[in-house]
Amino acid sequence: MTDIFTKEDIITLAIETSCDETSVSVLKNGRYVLSNIVSSQIEQHKKFGGVVPEVASRKHIENINFVIDEAMREAEVDFGDVTHVAATYGPGLVGALLVGLSAAKAIAFAREIPLNGVNHIEGHIYANFIEDKELEPPFICLIVSGGHTHLVYMKDYGEYEVLGKTRDDAAGEAFDKVARTLGLGYPGGPEIDKLAKIGNQKSIDFPKAYLEEGSYDFSFSGLKSAVLNYLNSQKMKNNPIVVEDVAASFQKSVVEILVEKTIACGLEKGVDKIVLAGGVAANSGLRQLLEEQCKQHNIQLRYPSLKLCTDNAAMIGCVGYYDYIKGHRSRLDLNGVPNLKIGQRI
Ligand code: KG4
Ligand code: ZN
């Protein structure tokens, strides 16, 4: 053990394998990242235009031991220094989840240290605690990723009230699907974001689904169909398609509905902080509009740096740490739960 930590420090070894990143991190006292290794499989899935579950599981198995070794080496710790192990057990692809969870269980069993199963969506929220050491709940969090779109009131550590969520596609999924129909690469979100910067966002009037009055839920499938219909009708009329304009107009519709509902939640709960989380939190249009709106309403906005927005094990370790200090322990027969709900503890 190096002298950067003492016997009183809690050292978390965290593992994340819920989708297409094999990631392992070592943290000190929950918020200080000693290492955060992310091995992405994006190149393997690109040719299929999305994540292939069987390929993801196989790659996790090939990678996991190397990524654990690298994270421990970079953090300059050995297994004897580790206080407890945290691992994502849901939501996600069950075959992928099981790889990281099994590795975590093996370490916990062999070293006789506690295991903390972690909810991946909560992990995205906690990425903000790593970025901003002073940040404390309560706040409103908008979690927008490839698999999830949630508006959550986080009252305290481990205490959440889900105010709204998507009824169909997740925001990132809508970005990825629209990008695919535009012939752009995978993942599509960053590609659309790039093109949207040079396109005219007022050129096409795509719909926004508000749903019932007062609802904080989202729906993106109508918008996705509207983009598809627009592209088909332009092709039938032999009209040119300006990809930048489609990207900018689509992004505007997604961003406006996300921001309007997030601000409404903030005002309803009377919070002074809103935090962004998940891969789509990297979107420049979303950050800009939410920043403007927060300023107008005297609300502070926080979002993680790009590396912590997308899937990584440090955010999982942060949740695991807070669960650990609250006394929560997972059993060694914990299973992967593909549809695990936020706030649920098994
Ligand atoms: O959180 P994440 O890494 O994985 C999940 O847990 O789903 O999020 C990945 C998603 C993808 O759908 C990707 O297209 C989207 O985040 N994304 C973006 C941007 N960067 C990543 N979407 C819009 N704009 C971006 N700049
Ligand atoms: Zn994620």
Side-chain angles (χ1 to χ4, degrees):
M1 183 192 278
T2 57
D3 58 1
I4 46 169
F5 41 84
T6 64
K7 284 221 166 333
E8 285 72 50
D9 288 326
I10 290 167
I11 303 296
T12 306
L13 175 66
I15 303 180
E16 153 66 37
T17 61
S18 67
C19 190
D20 59 346
E21 328 275 2
T22 317
S23 181
V24 180
S25 172
V26 180
L27 301 96
K28 180 174 92 169
N29 300 327
R31 291 192 179 202
Y32 294 87
V33 178
L34 304 180
S35 65
N36 187 22
I37 309 296
V38 181
S39 166
S40 176
Q41 304 174 0
I42 281 184
E43 287 307 317
Q44 269 86 34
H45 298 288
K46 245 181 188 161
K47 53 181 174 288
F48 304 109
V51 177
V52 184
E54 285 77 12
V55 175
S57 316
R58 202 175 325 130
K59 287 283 154 200
H60 285 310
I61 292 174
E62 285 170 19
N63 287 342
I64 189 74
N65 287 341
F66 297 106
V67 182
I68 293 173
D69 276 352
E70 199 177 332
M72 306 270 289
R73 199 169 33 243
E74 193 176 302
E76 296 183 43
V77 298
D78 54 47
F79 284 116
D81 301 323
V82 176
T83 318
H84 72 130
V85 195
T88 309
Y89 73 107
L93 304 168
V94 73
L97 288 165
L98 283 176
V99 178
L101 185 57
S102 303
K105 283 184 197 176
I107 296 166
F109 179 70
R111 300 298 315 180
E112 297 183 359
I113 52 177
L115 171 74
N116 287 96
V118 171
N119 180 308
H120 179 85
I121 309 176
E122 292 176 35
H124 277 299
I125 304 177
Y126 282 58
N128 284 282
F129 294 130
I130 295 170
E131 196 75 51
D132 178 353
K133 309 280 184 265
E134 311 298 319
L135 180 66
E136 298 285 346
F139 50 68
I140 291 289
C141 184
L142 171 67
I143 307 140
V144 267
S145 75
H148 314 281
T149 304
H150 279 71
L151 257 171
V152 174
Y153 174 50
M154 182 168 171
K155 286 178 260 192
D156 202 345
Y157 295 101
E159 280 182 46
Y160 316 89
E161 185 185 338
V162 178
L163 302 173
K165 57 185 178 198
T166 185
R167 293 188 186 171
D168 38 61
D169 290 346
E173 197 179 354
F175 269 96
D176 293 340
K177 286 179 177 168
V178 165
R180 198 178 331 167
T181 61
L182 289 172
L184 306 173
Y186 170 83
E191 302 281 330
I192 291 196
D193 194 2
K194 227 185 287 164
L195 292 173
K197 285 185 186 139
I198 44 176
N200 176 5
Q201 58 170 18
K202 292 193 183 130
S203 60
I204 312 152
D205 194 18
F206 287 131
K208 284 187 274 179
Y210 283 93
L211 307 172
E212 315 80 60
E213 207 183 327
S215 169
Y216 294 131
D217 278 351
F218 300 98
S219 168
F220 296 108
S221 65
L223 170 61
K224 193 182 62 189
S225 304
V227 176
L228 212 66
N229 290 342
Y230 170 81
L231 295 175
N232 287 337
S233 76
Q234 288 296 97
K235 272 181 208 150
M236 284 192 0
K237 291 182 209 155
N238 270 330
N239 287 344
I241 294 164
V242 184
V243 179
E244 294 83 353
D245 288 353
V246 179
S249 303
F250 161 76
Q251 181 168 298
K252 174 175 179 276
S253 281
V254 176
V255 163
E256 283 183 354
I257 198 87
L258 289 173
V259 171
E260 279 176 47
K261 294 203 176 198
T262 306
I263 294 287
C265 281
L267 297 177
E268 186 186 308
K269 291 291 180 188
V271 295
D272 62 357
K273 278 170 287 192
I274 285 177
V275 315
L276 260 181
V280 186
N283 186 266
S284 55
L286 176 60
R287 288 184 175 198
Q288 193 184 338
L289 187 64
L290 197 52
E291 194 122 36
E292 279 167 26
Q293 290 288 311
C294 280
K295 227 177 239 159
Q296 246 180 50
H297 292 94
N298 243 337
I299 298 174
Q300 301 164 41
L301 176 65
R302 300 275 196 280
Y303 44 78
S305 55
L306 290 184
K307 191 164 189 265
L308 289 171
C309 278
T310 46
D311 291 352
N312 67 88
M315 67 185 197
I316 301 303
C318 188
V319 182
Y321 165 81
Y322 280 100
D323 273 7
Y324 174 84
I325 59 171
K326 274 189 166 185
H328 183 78
R329 303 288 181 264
S330 297
R331 288 165 43 132
L332 285 182
D333 61 359
L334 182 68
N335 216 336
V337 184
N339 58 352
L340 183 68
K341 302 278 170 298
I342 193 164
Q344 195 181 349
R345 292 282 180 280
I346 293 174

